[in-house]
C-alpha cells in the first residue's frame, strides 16, 4: 500500500488515496516531531519542548500520551503496513523508513544530488532534484506556529537553497543560463542579502542577455548588504559586476572558473582492519536491523558523522554486537574497519586518554609515529583531515564518558562511528542510542547450542533451565557453554547439577579466562561510595521490583538522594526502569550485590539487620496509611510504630491512589509477609496481617491470607488482647465470605460480635453486625439478616457516620431485593448512593450503582440496567480491583443476553470467568456459570447450557449458597425441559421451590411454582 507521512505543507498521513484526520494542532506537531527523526528514539523531554516550547502543561508527560494515542489510531489507515510507535524508557520512536516522510526523503535527495554534482553523475543528480521537487508540498508544518516549527522551516529553507544552487550549477555547466534564472529568482527574493546567490543569479541573467537586470540586481544587493549588515559587499559581487561591464563570457564569471580542473592523483591509502573475530550469533534481529539501516544511509563527504551508541549492562553483548555488525557491513566501508578499546573491560588498566587513542587511530591509518603532533588539538585536526574522505567504520569499545569520545569523532566525514559503553553517554552530537537488554529465552538457548557447536548432544529442557539460571545474559550463556565444552565427559545435566551446588549461580559462571563476577566488579568499581552502598543494599530487597522509597529505607538516605543515585545506577545499567519510578535489577547482578554484603567488608551484621527491618517497617507502615484510605470502614488495631515511624507517602492522598499503591506494591507486600513468617516475631506478623487483611481479601489473595489470619487470631488470643483478637476474627470472616466458606464466616463473626458486646465497643459491634449480615444474606437467611441490619441502621443514624450508614442501607437494600421488596430496595440504594456521593466514597458508589442496575434488571427494565452498569463500570475502573470489575462485567453480560445480544454476552462471560476463579470468589463463579447456561439456552445450545448449570450446582452446594442454589436449580430444570428430560426437570423445580421456601424468597418461590405447574400440565397432556 502506498503510504506517506507529509510534513511539507499540511501535516498529514496518506495511504491508498486516503488521508488522516489528526484534528488537534498539537497532535499534528507531535507527529511532525516524531517523523522528523523517523526510525530513531526521541526523548520525552524533546517531544515536550517541540510541542509546547518552554511553556508545557503541568503534567506534560500525561498530556503527551493522548497525542501519541491519536497518532497511533491515525496510522491505522495504512492497514498492515502501518508503522508502530515504540515506547521506551523516557522516549518514543516512530518505526518507519525515513523515505516515507516527505521532508526527510526530500533532504536526502538534495544531499545525494549535491554529492553527485561536479561531473560525477550530473544526470543522476538532476533526477534526484526532480524527485525532490515532487516531494515538496509547500511550507513545512503549514499553519503551525512555535519555535521548533520555525527552526525546522529554517533548516529546510537552507536545504531548498542548496537544491536550487545545485540545479543552477548543473545548468551553468551545460550552458543553459536562461533555464537557471527561474530556479534562482524566487530564492533571491527570499534571501536578499545572500551574496553567493546574487552572484549566480546575476551570471544567469547576464548569460541570458538580460544584462541590465543583472547589473540592477548586483547594485541592489550591495546596497542591501550595507544597509542591513553594516558591511561592504564581498569581492565576488564586485568581480561579477566588473566582468559584466568588461563583456567577459558568462561561464568565466562563475565561482572557481578558470582555476582549471587538475585531477590530483589519489595517494595510496592503508586500509586498516583490526576487527576481532566474529562469534556464533543468535538473536538481536531488531537491533541489527536498526543499526544496519542507520549505517547504510546515503551520506555525502560533508555530512556530520553518524554515531551509533550501543549501551547496556556488563555482559549483555555490546562489543559482540558491534563486531558482528562490522563484519556484516564490511563491503559498505571500503576504506577500513577500525576497532579501538577504550575502557577497563576485562583488564584493570586505566582507560586511555584521548591523545593516546588518537595516536592509535592515526597509526592504524598509516601515519608514521614521527609525523604525529603532541598537542591534543593538533591531533584532533589531523585525525579529522585524515578521515575526511574515508568511508570507514570505527568501533570505539567500552567508552567511559562523553568527554572521552568527543575528540575521537571525525567531524564532517562519510566515516561512521559505533560506540559501546556500560553507561548512557549524553552530550554526544547526533548520537543515536541503542539500549541492549538480555536475550529472549529462545535466543539465549540458540546461542548456547551454537556455542557448543555440532556433535554435542543437548537436552532442550536442560538448555532452557541453564539459560534461565544465566538470566539470559549473553556472556553468562557463553561462559556456561564454555564450561561444558571444557569437560568432554559432561552432559547438560551435569552442568545443571554444578549450578545447584554451593556458592550460588554467580560463582559457577566462570571458565578458564573469564568470570562474571569480575565483569560486574568493573562496573561496581566505577561507582562512588554512595552509589556502591545503594547498589549493595538493593541486593537485600526481597522483591523483584522496587521504588525509591524502599531503597531509601534500606540505605537511610533521603528519598531525593536515593532517586538521584538510582538514576546514576540506571545510567550505568546496573538497574533498569521498566515503568517510570519502578526499578529492577538483573538476577545475577542481585547475586553479586548480595555477595558483596555477605563478604562483610562494608556492611556489618547490625547494618544489614537494621536495613532489612527498616524496609519491612516501610512496607507495613505505608500499607497501614494506604489501607486507612482504601478501606475506611474497617475496624482497626492501631500499630505500635514507636521509634520505627515512617514518613507518610506523599503519593497516597485519596482512596484511588491508596489502592493503586497497594496494587503496585502487591508482590512486595506478600514478600514482606513471607519474611515476617520466617524472621519476624508473632506480634509483628499478626500486626502486619491485620494491616494487609483488606488488601489480601479484595485483591484475591485468599490462599495466602487465611492461614496467616488464623495464626494472628491465635496470637492475640494467647496474648490476652481480646479487641485485637475480635478484629482478627472479622478479618477472617471477610476472607471466608469471599472464599464462599459461609459457615466459617458466620461462626467467626458471631464470636467477634460476642467480644464487641461484652466490651461495649459500638464501632466494633457495628462492623461485626455488618459482616455477619453479609454471610447470612449469602446463605439465604434473609429475614435474620434484615432484622440485624434494621437494628444496626437505627443505631448508626444517631452517629451521623455517613460511611457506615450508607453501607448499612446498601446491604439492607440487597436483602430487600432478594425478598422481592423492590420499592424498599430501590429506596435503600438511592439513599446509599447519596450518602457515598456526599463523602466521595467511590467503592460505595460503585456498589450502589451496581445494585440499582440489578433492581432495574429484575423489574424488566434492561435498558436502564445497562446504563446503570456502565456508570458503575466507570467508577470501578478507577478502583482497579479485579473482583469488582469482573462482577460488573458479569452483570452487564446478563443484561446484554436479555436484550438479545447473546454473542456479546457470551464473549464477556468468557473474559469474566477466569478472573473470578483466580480471585477465589466461588459464589460469583457460580452466578457466572448459571448465567452462561442461560445464554447458551437462549442461543438454542441446550447441551452446553446443561453442562454449565450442572457445574454451577456443584459449586453452590459446595459453598452452601442457598440463594444461588435456588436460581441454578430453576435454570437447570428449564434446560432439561428444552432437552426433553421431563422427569429430572420436575425434580429440580421441586428442589428449587423447597430451597426458596426455606430461605424466604417469595419471588423465587412463585417462579418455581409457575414453571412446575406448566411442566406438570405438559406432562399430563
Amino acid at each position: 500500500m502506498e503510504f506517506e507521512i507529509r510534513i511539507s505543507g499540511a501535516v498529514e498521513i496518506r495511504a491508498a488515496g486516503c488521508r488522516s484526520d489528526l484534528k488537534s494542532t498539537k497532535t499534528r506537531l507531535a507527529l511532525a516531531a516524531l517523523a522528523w527523526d523517523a526510525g530513531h528514539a526521541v526523548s520525552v523531554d524533546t517531544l515536550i519542548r517541540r510541542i509546547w516550547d518552554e511553556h508545557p502543561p503541568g503534567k506534560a508527560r500525561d498530556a503527551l500520551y493522548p497525542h501519541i494515542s491519536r497518532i497511533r489510531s491515525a496510522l491505522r489507515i495504512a492497514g498492515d503496513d502501518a508503522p508502530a510507535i515504540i515506547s521506551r524508557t523516557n522516549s518514543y520512536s516512530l518505526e518507519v523508513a525515513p523515505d516515507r516522510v516527505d521532508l526527510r526523503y526530500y533532504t536526502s535527495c538534495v544531499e545525494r544530488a549535491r554529492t553527485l554534482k561536479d561531473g560525477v553523475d550530473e544526470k543522476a543528480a538532476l533526477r534526484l532534484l526532480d524527485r525532490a521537487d515532487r516531494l515538496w508540498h509547500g511550507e513545512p508544518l503549514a499553519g503551525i506556529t512555535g519555535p521548533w516549527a520555525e527552526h525546522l522551516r529554517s533548516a529546510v529553507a537552507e536545504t531548498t537553497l542548496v537544491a536550487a544552487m545545485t540545479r543552477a550549477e548543473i545548468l551553468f555547466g551545460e550552458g543553459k543560463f536562461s533555464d537557471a534564472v527561474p530556479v534562482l529568482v524566487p530564492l533571491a527574493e527570499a534571501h536578499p542579502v545572500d551574496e553567493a546567490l546574487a552572484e549566480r543569479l546575476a551570471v544567469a541573467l547576464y548569460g541570458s542577455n538580460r544584462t541590465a537586470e543583472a547589473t540592477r540586481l548586483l547594485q541592489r544587493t550591495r546596497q542591501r548588504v550595507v544597509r542591513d549588515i553594516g558591511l561592504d559587499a564581498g569581492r565576488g559581487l564586485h568581480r561579477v559586476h566588473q566582468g559584466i561591464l568588461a563583456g567577459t563570457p558568462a561561464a568565466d564569471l562563475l565561482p572557481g572558473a578558470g582555476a582549471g580542473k587538475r585531477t590530483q592523483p589519489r595517494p595510496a591509502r592503508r586500509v586498516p582492519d583490526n576487527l576481532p573475530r566474529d562469534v556464533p550469533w543468535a538473536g538481536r534481529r531488531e537491533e541489527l536491523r536498526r543499526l544496519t539501516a542507520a549505517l547504510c544511509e546515503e551520506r555525502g563527504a560533508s555530512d556530520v558523522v553518524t554515531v551509533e551508541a550501543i549501551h547496556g549492562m556488563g555482559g549483555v553483548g555490546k562489543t559482540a554486537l558491534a563486531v558482528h555488525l562490522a563484519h556484516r557491513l564490511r563491503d559498505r566501508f571500503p576504506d577500513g574497519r577500525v576497532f579501538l578499546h577504550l575502557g577497563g573491560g576485562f583488564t584493570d588498566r586505566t582507560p586511555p586518554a584521548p591523545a593516546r587513542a588518537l595516536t592509535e587511530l592515526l597509526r592504524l591509518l598509516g601515519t608514521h609515529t614521527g609525523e604525529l603532533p603532541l598537542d591534543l588539538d593538533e591531533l584532533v585536526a589531523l585525525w579529522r583531515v585524515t578521515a575526511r574522505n574515508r568511508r570507514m567504520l570505527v568501533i570505539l569499545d567500552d567508552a567511559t564518558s562523553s568527554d572521552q569520545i568527543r575528540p575521537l569523532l571525525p567531524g564532517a566525514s562519510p566515516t561512521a562511528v559505533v560506540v559501546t559503553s556500560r553507561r548512557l553517554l549524553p552530550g554526544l552530537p547526533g548520537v543515536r542510542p541503542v539500549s541492549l537488554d538480555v536475550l529472549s529465552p529462545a535466543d539465549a538457548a540458540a546461542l548456547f547450542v551454537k556455542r557448543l557447536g555440532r556433535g554435542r548432544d543437548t537436552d532442550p529442557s536442560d538448555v532452557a533451565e541453564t539459560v534461565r539460571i544465566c538470566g539470559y545474559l549473553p556472556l553468562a550463556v557463553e561462559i556456561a557453554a564454555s564450561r561444558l565444552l571444557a569437560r568432554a565427559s559432561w552432559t547438560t545435566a551435569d552442568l545443571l547439577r554444578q549450578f545447584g551446588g554451593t556458592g550460588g549461580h554467580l560463582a559457577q559462571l566462570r571458565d578458564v579466562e573469564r568470570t562474571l563476577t569480575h565483569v560486574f566488579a568493573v562496573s561496581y568499581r566505577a561507582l562512588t561510595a554512595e552509589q556502591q552502598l545503594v547498589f549493595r543494599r538493593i541486593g537485600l530487597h526481597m522483591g523483584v521490583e522496587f521504588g525509591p522509597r524502599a531503597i531509601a529505607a534500606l540505605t537511610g538516605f533521603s528519598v531525593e538522594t536515593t532517586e538521584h543515585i538510582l538514576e546514576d545506577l540506571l545510567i550505568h545499567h546496573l538497574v533498569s526502569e521498566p515503568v517510570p519510578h519502578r526499578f529492577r535489577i538483573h538476577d545475577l547482578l542481585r547475586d553479586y550485590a548480595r555477595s558483596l554484603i555477605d563478604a562483610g567488608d562494608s556492611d556489618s551484621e547490625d547494618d544489614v539487620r537494621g536495613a532489612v527491618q527498616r524496609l519491612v517497617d516501610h512496607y507495613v507502615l505505608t500499607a497501614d496509611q494506604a489501607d486507612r484510605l482504601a478501606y475506611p470502614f474497617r475496624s482497626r488495631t492501631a500499630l505500635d510504630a514507636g521509634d520505627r515511624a515512617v514518613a507518610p507517602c506523599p503519593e497516597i492522598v485519596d482512596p484511588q491512589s491508596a489502592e493503586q499503591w497497594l496494587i503496585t506494591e502487591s508482590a512486595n507486600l506478600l514478600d514482606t509477609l513471607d519474611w515476617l513468617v520466617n524472621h519476624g516475631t508473632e506480634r509483628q506478623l499478626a500486626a502486619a496481617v491485620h494491616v494487609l487483611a483488606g488488601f489480601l481479601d479484595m485483591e484475591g489473595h485468599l490462599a495466602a491470607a487465611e492461614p496467616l489470619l488464623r495464626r494472628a487470631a491465635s496470637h492475640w488470643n494467647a496474648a490476652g488482647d481480646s479487641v485485637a483478637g475480635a478484629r482478627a476474627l472479622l478479618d477472617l470472616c471477610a476472607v471466608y465470605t469471599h472464599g464462599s466458606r459461609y459457615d466459617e464466616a458466620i461462626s467467626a463473626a458471631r464470636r467477634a460480635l460476642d467480644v464487641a458486646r461484652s466490651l461495649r465497643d459500638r464501632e466494633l459491634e457495628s462492623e461485626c453486625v455488618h459482616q455477619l449480615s453479609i454471610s447470612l444474606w449469602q446463605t439465604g437467611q434473609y429475614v435474620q439478616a434484615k432484622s440485624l441490619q434494621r437494628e444496626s441502621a437505627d443505631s448508626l443514624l444517631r452517629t451521623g457516620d455517613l460511611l457506615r450508614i450508607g453501607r448499612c442501607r446498601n446491604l439492607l437494600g440487597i436483602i430487600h431485593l432478594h425478598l422481592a421488596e423492590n420499592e424498599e430496595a430501590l429506596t435503600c440504594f438511592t439513599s446509599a448512593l447519596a450518602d457515598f456521593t456526599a463523602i466521595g466514597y467511590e467503592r460505595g458508589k460503585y456498589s450502589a450503582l451496581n445494585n440499582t442496575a440489578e433492581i432495574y434488571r429484575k423489574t424488566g427494565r434492561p435498558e436502564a440496567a445497562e446504563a446503570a452498569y456502565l456508570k458503575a463500570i466507570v467508577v470501578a475502573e478507577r478502583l482497579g480491583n479485579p473482583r469488582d470489575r469482573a462482577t460488573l462485567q458479569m452483570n452487564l453480560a446478563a443484561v446484554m443476553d436479555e436484550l438479545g445480544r447473546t454473542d456479546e454476552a457470551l464473549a464477556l462471560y468468557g473474559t469474566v470467568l477466569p478472573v473470578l476463579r483466580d480471585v477465589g470468589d466461588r459464589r460469583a463463579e457460580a452466578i457466572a456459570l448459571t448465567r452462561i447456561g442461560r445464554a447458551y439456552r437462549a442461543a438454542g445450545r441446550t447441551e452446553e447450557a446443561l453442562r454449565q448449570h450442572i457445574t454451577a450446582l456443584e459449586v453452590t452446594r459446595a459453598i452452601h449458597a442457598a440463594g444461588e442454589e435456588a436460581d441454578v436449580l430453576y435454570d437447570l430444570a428449564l434446560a432439561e425441559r428444552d432437552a426433553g428430560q421431563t422427569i429430572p426437570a420436575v425434580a429440580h423445580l421441586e428442589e428449587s421451590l423447597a430451597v426458596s421456601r426455606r430461605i424466604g424468597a417469595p419471588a423465587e418461590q412463585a417462579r418455581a411454582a409457575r414453571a412446575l405447574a406448566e411442566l406438570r400440565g405438559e406432562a399430563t397432556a
Side-chain angles (χ1 to χ4, degrees):
M1 178 185 293
E2 287 297 322
F3 169 75
E4 180 187 26
I5 297 175
R6 288 189 179 180
I7 56 179
S8 163
V11 177
E12 61 185 7
I13 301 166
R14 293 197 169 202
C18 300
R19 66 178 67 184
S20 62
D21 181 11
L22 292 168
K23 298 176 181 173
S24 159
T25 298
K26 297 296 186 191
T27 302
R28 288 187 284 123
L29 189 52
L31 173 61
L34 287 169
W36 184 245
D37 288 306
H40 302 297
V42 184
S43 72
V44 170
D45 290 340
T46 297
L47 286 173
I48 290 170
R49 192 163 54 252
R50 289 178 178 179
I51 297 169
W52 286 285
D53 186 27
E54 300 301 326
H55 307 286
K59 294 184 177 179
R61 289 170 180 257
D62 294 341
L64 174 63
Y65 183 77
H67 298 298
I68 300 295
S69 180
R70 291 185 200 119
I71 295 169
R72 285 182 171 132
S73 298
L75 288 168
R76 293 194 189 109
I77 67 170
D80 294 339
D81 295 331
I85 297 179
I86 304 298
S87 173
R88 297 183 177 85
T89 304
N90 292 323
S91 70
Y92 290 94
S93 62
L94 177 59
E95 297 298 307
V96 66
D99 62 5
R100 295 287 184 152
V101 180
D102 60 352
L103 271 191
R104 285 293 306 277
Y105 196 15
Y106 171 85
T107 56
S108 174
C109 289
V110 172
E111 289 166 2
R112 287 157 59 197
R114 189 73 177 171
T115 303
L116 292 172
K117 192 180 68 67
D118 295 333
V120 177
D121 190 345
E122 292 186 345
K123 289 185 178 179
L126 280 174
R127 286 196 297 272
L128 284 167
L129 292 171
D130 290 341
R131 188 180 304 167
D133 285 346
R134 290 194 295 273
L135 292 164
W136 184 259
H137 304 112
E139 180 186 60
L141 279 61
I144 297 177
T145 59
W148 183 73
E150 293 302 326
H151 169 76
L152 180 64
R153 283 193 273 268
S154 297
V156 174
E158 292 298 321
T159 305
T160 305
L161 182 59
V162 169
M165 297 280 268
T166 303
R167 184 184 292 276
E169 287 166 7
I170 294 172
L171 292 171
F172 288 158
E174 296 174 351
K176 298 177 179 178
F177 293 96
S178 57
D179 290 346
V181 171
V183 174
L184 297 174
V185 164
L187 290 165
E189 294 170 355
H191 303 274
V193 294
D194 189 319
E195 296 182 44
L197 177 58
E199 283 181 45
R200 286 162 177 77
L201 178 53
V203 171
L205 290 167
Y206 173 58
S208 306
N209 296 318
R210 297 162 66 177
T211 304
E213 291 178 64
T215 55
R216 281 198 299 271
L217 169 67
L218 291 169
Q219 184 178 12
R220 187 168 62 246
T221 304
R222 282 199 303 270
Q223 291 170 348
R224 190 73 177 266
V225 169
V226 172
R227 187 187 70 194
D228 292 358
I229 302 177
L231 298 174
D232 194 10
R235 293 179 180 177
L237 292 179
H238 291 288
R239 181 182 60 81
V240 172
H241 195 186
Q242 292 301 317
I244 291 173
L245 295 176
T248 305
D252 293 341
L253 295 179
L254 293 170
K261 295 186 178 181
R262 293 174 294 172
T263 303
Q264 297 292 333
R266 184 175 178 179
R269 287 179 172 180
R270 177 185 291 184
V271 178
D273 192 347
N274 67 333
L275 289 179
R277 68 179 181 85
D278 204 357
V279 294
W281 195 255
R284 305 290 190 211
R285 286 170 286 277
E286 176 59 21
E287 291 89 346
L288 278 169
R289 184 197 66 75
R290 282 184 55 197
L291 288 165
T292 300
L295 295 176
C296 291
E297 286 180 357
E298 289 295 332
R299 298 185 306 280
S302 63
D303 287 354
V304 174
V305 67
T306 297
V307 182
E308 301 294 326
I310 304 172
H311 56 90
M313 66 180 283
V316 82
K318 304 177 292 296
T319 302
L321 175 60
V323 170
H324 181 68
L325 177 72
H327 281 283
R328 284 183 53 166
L329 300 181
R330 178 181 297 273
D331 293 339
R332 295 287 303 185
F333 296 95
D335 294 325
R337 281 77 46 197
V338 177
F339 181 90
L340 188 64
H341 186 75
L342 297 179
F346 297 112
T347 72
D348 293 324
R349 64 186 175 88
T350 303
R356 284 176 52 200
L358 284 167
T359 299
E360 179 66 12
L361 280 171
L362 290 164
R363 189 188 62 77
L364 287 168
L365 291 176
T367 306
H368 295 296
T369 306
E371 299 173 358
L372 293 172
L374 298 177
D375 181 72
L376 176 61
D377 290 340
E378 293 180 9
L379 280 168
V380 170
L382 180 58
W383 159 238
R384 290 179 177 173
V385 168
T386 306
R388 178 173 296 160
N389 297 314
R390 294 180 187 250
R391 185 176 289 277
M392 295 184 297
L393 178 60
V394 177
I395 297 175
L396 302 176
D397 183 51
D398 209 2
T400 57
S401 69
S402 299
D403 289 340
Q404 184 190 34
I405 291 296
R406 203 171 286 111
L408 309 182
L409 299 181
S413 168
T415 288
V417 176
V418 175
V419 182
T420 75
S421 180
R422 295 165 184 250
R423 54 172 296 169
L424 289 168
L425 298 173
L428 287 179
V431 67
R432 295 183 287 194
V434 175
S435 182
L436 290 194
D437 201 350
V438 296
L439 294 170
S440 69
D443 287 339
L447 176 62
F448 183 84
V449 172
K450 283 189 176 184
R451 179 68 181 84
L452 290 178
R454 296 180 180 178
R456 195 69 181 259
D457 291 334
T458 57
D459 182 284
S461 61
D462 287 347
V463 172
E465 179 62 12
T466 298
V467 298
R468 185 197 66 77
I469 289 171
C470 293
Y472 311 114
L473 189 68
L475 181 59
V477 172
E478 283 259 346
I479 291 174
S482 179
R483 286 203 71 185
L484 189 57
L485 280 172
R487 308 295 286 270
S489 62
W490 280 18
T491 65
T492 48
D494 295 316
L495 181 63
L496 274 179
R497 278 191 290 274
Q498 194 70 19
F499 281 130
T502 59
H505 299 151
L506 191 61
Q508 298 300 325
L509 286 168
R510 55 181 170 76
D511 58 17
V512 176
E513 298 176 346
R514 300 170 295 180
T515 69
L516 204 58
T517 299
H518 180 72
V519 173
F520 293 161
V522 171
S523 296
Y524 178 72
R525 286 196 295 270
L527 304 177
T528 66
E530 286 187 338
Q531 292 166 354
Q532 289 180 345
L533 174 62
V534 170
F535 175 74
R536 293 195 307 274
R537 295 292 171 84
I538 288 173
L540 295 173
H541 193 278
M542 64 279 288
V544 174
E545 187 178 283
F546 48 85
R549 289 185 172 273
I551 306 307
L554 278 168
T555 60
F557 293 151
S558 69
V559 175
E560 293 75 17
T561 298
T562 305
E563 286 176 334
H564 289 315
I565 295 175
L566 284 171
E567 188 172 346
D568 293 336
L569 296 182
L570 186 66
I571 289 171
H572 283 85
H573 290 284
L574 291 172
V575 295
S576 61
E577 189 180 20
V579 295
H581 311 298
R582 300 293 295 174
F583 298 89
R584 291 190 175 194
I585 186 170
H586 190 275
D587 287 346
L588 294 175
L589 277 171
R590 184 192 298 277
D591 289 348
Y592 176 64
R594 285 175 176 165
S595 74
L596 295 171
I597 292 279
D598 294 340
D601 296 335
S602 304
D603 306 87
S604 68
E605 289 186 11
D606 288 342
D607 291 337
V608 173
R609 192 180 302 111
V612 175
Q613 187 60 61
R614 288 195 303 271
L615 178 67
V616 171
D617 292 343
H618 157 72
Y619 280 124
V620 173
L621 295 173
T622 308
D624 184 56
Q625 177 193 347
D627 179 80
R628 290 174 185 275
L629 282 171
Y631 311 113
F633 48 82
R634 290 185 61 214
S635 180
R636 284 183 181 77
T637 298
L639 287 177
D640 181 16
D643 60 357
R644 299 181 292 110
V646 171
C649 181
E651 291 87 4
I652 302 174
V653 295
D654 54 29
Q656 289 71 44
S657 60
E659 188 161 346
Q660 186 56 54
W661 185 90
L662 291 167
I663 293 169
T664 300
E665 298 289 0
S666 58
N668 290 326
L669 295 174
L670 293 173
D671 288 334
T672 300
L673 282 179
D674 285 343
W675 186 91
L676 286 167
V677 166
N678 295 305
H679 305 288
T681 66
E682 284 298 308
R683 186 179 185 84
Q684 285 177 319
L685 178 61
V689 170
H690 172 65
V691 165
L692 295 172
F695 153 74
L696 293 168
D697 174 35
M698 296 306 292
E699 295 305 317
H701 300 294
L702 303 183
E706 190 258 340
L708 295 179
L709 287 168
R710 281 194 286 106
R711 185 168 164 178
S714 298
H715 165 73
W716 296 124
N717 184 51
D721 191 335
S722 54
V723 175
R727 292 190 177 111
L729 287 170
L730 276 184
D731 294 337
L732 258 178
C733 173
V735 168
Y736 284 145
T737 299
H738 281 131
S740 305
R741 295 163 63 177
Y742 298 119
D743 292 343
E744 293 166 279
I746 290 170
S747 173
R750 282 183 168 147
R751 285 159 56 200
L753 182 59
D754 290 343
V755 172
R757 284 174 172 167
S758 70
L759 296 172
R760 300 181 183 277
D761 188 329
R762 297 301 181 192
E763 182 263 344
L764 180 58
E765 180 181 346
S766 171
E767 192 60 29
C768 292
V769 166
H770 189 83
Q771 293 292 345
L772 177 59
S773 299
I774 290 174
S775 299
L776 292 171
W777 151 57
Q778 289 179 330
T779 53
Q781 301 175 59
Y782 301 134
V783 175
Q784 187 178 354
K786 183 167 75 169
S787 174
L788 279 171
Q789 281 305 293
R790 279 182 170 169
E791 181 183 340
S792 181
D794 291 340
S795 175
L796 287 170
L797 283 171
R798 291 193 292 272
T799 69
D801 186 340
L802 287 182
L803 174 61
R804 285 186 164 78
I805 292 170
R807 288 175 76 224
C808 181
R809 284 170 167 166
N810 196 38
L811 180 54
L812 188 57
I814 293 171
I815 297 166
H816 281 310
L817 178 62
H818 281 78
L819 290 169
E821 297 165 358
N822 296 328
E823 291 301 322
E824 294 90 335
L826 187 56
T827 300
C828 285
F829 295 146
T830 304
S831 298
L833 182 60
D835 293 335
F836 294 140
T837 302
I839 60 176
Y841 183 46
E842 294 288 286
R843 186 175 299 283
K845 288 166 62 178
Y846 137 76
S847 180
L849 284 167
N850 177 54
N851 294 331
T852 302
E854 190 69 7
I855 278 277
Y856 291 146
R857 191 178 69 81
K858 285 203 168 187
T859 54
R861 299 166 63 188
E863 290 86 358
E866 182 177 25
Y869 280 135
L870 290 172
K871 286 181 182 178
I873 284 174
V874 171
V875 178
E877 286 296 333
R878 295 197 292 267
L879 299 176
N881 183 278
R883 178 189 286 117
D884 292 344
R885 289 197 299 270
T887 301
L888 279 171
Q889 289 172 327
M890 175 179 71
N891 295 338
L892 179 60
V895 173
M896 289 175 173
D897 190 26
E898 291 177 18
L899 289 169
R901 289 145 53 191
T902 302
D903 289 342
E904 289 181 62
L906 285 170
L908 195 51
Y909 282 132
T911 302
V912 164
L913 194 56
V915 177
L916 296 174
R917 286 171 172 161
D918 284 345
V919 300
D921 193 339
R922 302 208 72 201
R923 175 179 171 274
E925 177 190 349
I927 295 171
L929 288 166
T930 302
R931 292 178 179 178
I932 292 171
R934 287 178 195 165
Y936 278 137
R937 190 167 68 82
R941 297 159 66 176
T942 307
E943 290 301 320
E944 291 166 281
L946 285 170
R947 283 197 295 272
Q948 300 296 322
H949 290 316
I950 291 168
T951 305
L953 185 59
E954 293 171 356
V955 174
T956 56
R957 286 177 170 169
I959 63 176
H960 310 295
E964 282 66 41
E965 183 182 359
D967 282 343
V968 74
L969 284 166
Y970 174 79
D971 283 291
L972 175 59
L974 297 186
E976 288 169 334
R977 182 189 66 184
D978 291 351
Q981 301 173 16
T982 305
I983 294 174
V986 169
H988 286 135
L989 282 172
E990 289 172 343
E991 285 187 74
S992 178
L993 182 60
V995 172
S996 300
R997 283 172 178 160
R998 187 179 80 241
I999 64 176
E1004 284 73 12
Q1005 289 180 54
R1007 177 185 66 181
R1010 284 195 303 272
L1012 191 58
E1014 291 173 7
L1015 192 56
R1016 283 172 173 162
E1018 291 172 6
T1020 302

